[in-house]
Amino acid sequence: MKKVFLVAALSLATMTAFAQEEEAKEAVAVATEVVEEQDGFAEIALEELPEAITAALEAAHPGATIAKAYVNEAAQYKLEVTKEDGEAVELYADAEGNWIEM
């Protein structure tokens, strides 16, 4: 009889631990979605960037590489860029390649 209670207690403890882990994963996923919605930018493929932006980047930051690109409804672009010296920065531009402050 003691073994039955022990097995039941261990089973309950295991299920509770897994449930808490799943809740934590769901909370992280929801938090990530909220950040993306507040930011207003959606990730795009690097090939979708206007040529004016890539030309402006090369002129302003020679040797820099774009890691990720995002666009919002106002056709403003957010770029995650690694400069030639290894510094990671976020830059913002409009579709014509003009740098903007955000």
Side-chain angles (χ1 to χ4, degrees):
M1 190 68 168
K2 290 181 183 179
K3 290 181 182 179
V4 172
F5 286 122
L6 179 61
V7 168
L10 289 175
S11 297
L12 181 60
T14 303
M15 288 187 298
T16 303
F18 286 127
Q20 290 174 347
E21 183 178 310
E22 287 301 316
E23 288 175 5
K25 287 179 184 177
E26 289 175 13
V28 169
V30 169
T32 303
E33 289 174 14
V34 170
V35 168
E36 289 175 4
E37 289 176 10
Q38 289 176 350
D39 191 82
F41 287 88
E43 187 171 352
I44 60 170
L46 298 180
E47 298 80 30
E48 295 179 43
L49 278 174
E51 179 62 34
I53 293 177
T54 54
L57 180 66
E58 184 58 36
H61 305 281
T65 57
I66 302 171
K68 292 185 180 182
Y70 306 86
V71 65
N72 65 12
E73 291 179 4
Q76 297 170 327
Y77 293 83
K78 176 172 85 170
L79 309 173
E80 291 181 6
V81 175
T82 303
K83 292 183 172 182
E84 193 172 35
D85 65 2
E87 178 185 5
V89 296
E90 281 187 359
L91 302 173
Y92 297 87
D94 62 18
E96 289 78 39
N98 300 310
W99 300 112
I100 54 178
E101 294 291 323
M102 298 283 289

